[in-house]
Amino acid sequence: MNMDLLVSVLGMTATRLPILVALAISVVWVIDTPRSTVRDVALWSLVLLAVATVAGLVLNLVPMWMVQQGNYASIRSLSMWLGVGHFVLGLLNAFSLVLLVWAMTRALRARNAPAAG
């Protein structure tokens, strides 16, 4: 691995590090709540967001690695597939965000529900 590629990889990883740290903290907070469907959905959404973040990092590294290898012809043919991959990751991020907001609204509604009496 070339030093320029290593620096690029570290730089790309550093830009995603705050998101990954925030997701890790969020998982710890959610795990500390009582077991429920809302908790499970929140955990799944956080895990999906983390997977999408790491997968996005990997997808961005593929063309850099191919350029470093001098494999320019493959980059052209692979660009459509990388675009599809980024689109799928965008859908995964959107789905995860909707799940997380659903869990939050369910938890807030349950917390503010009037006591039966």
Side-chain angles (χ1 to χ4, degrees):
M1 185 181 263
N2 171 325
M3 187 59 129
D4 292 334
L5 182 61
L6 181 62
V7 169
S8 296
V9 168
L10 290 175
M12 245 191 253
T13 304
T15 62
R16 285 179 173 72
L17 193 59
I19 296 295
L20 292 171
V21 168
L23 288 169
I25 291 169
S26 300
V27 166
V28 169
W29 285 345
V30 171
I31 285 177
D32 195 33
T33 61
R35 281 190 178 270
S36 69
T37 303
V38 172
R39 174 185 176 248
D40 292 343
V41 169
L43 280 174
W44 271 107
S45 68
L46 292 170
V47 167
L48 289 174
L49 284 168
V51 166
T53 300
V54 172
L57 174 65
V58 171
L59 275 181
N60 285 333
L61 292 177
V62 168
M64 287 176 34
W65 178 74
M66 293 176 92
V67 165
Q68 198 267 337
Q69 298 295 317
N71 199 350
Y72 302 107
S74 295
I75 293 173
R76 256 183 280 135
S77 63
L78 190 65
S79 73
M80 183 190 77
W81 291 110
L82 290 173
V84 168
H86 282 290
F87 178 75
V88 169
L89 289 177
L91 289 175
L92 184 61
N93 276 324
F95 178 69
S96 302
L97 190 57
V98 167
L99 286 178
L100 188 59
V101 171
W102 177 86
M104 287 173 38
T105 55
R106 288 287 302 255
L108 290 171
R109 286 179 185 155
R111 180 176 161 199
N112 294 328

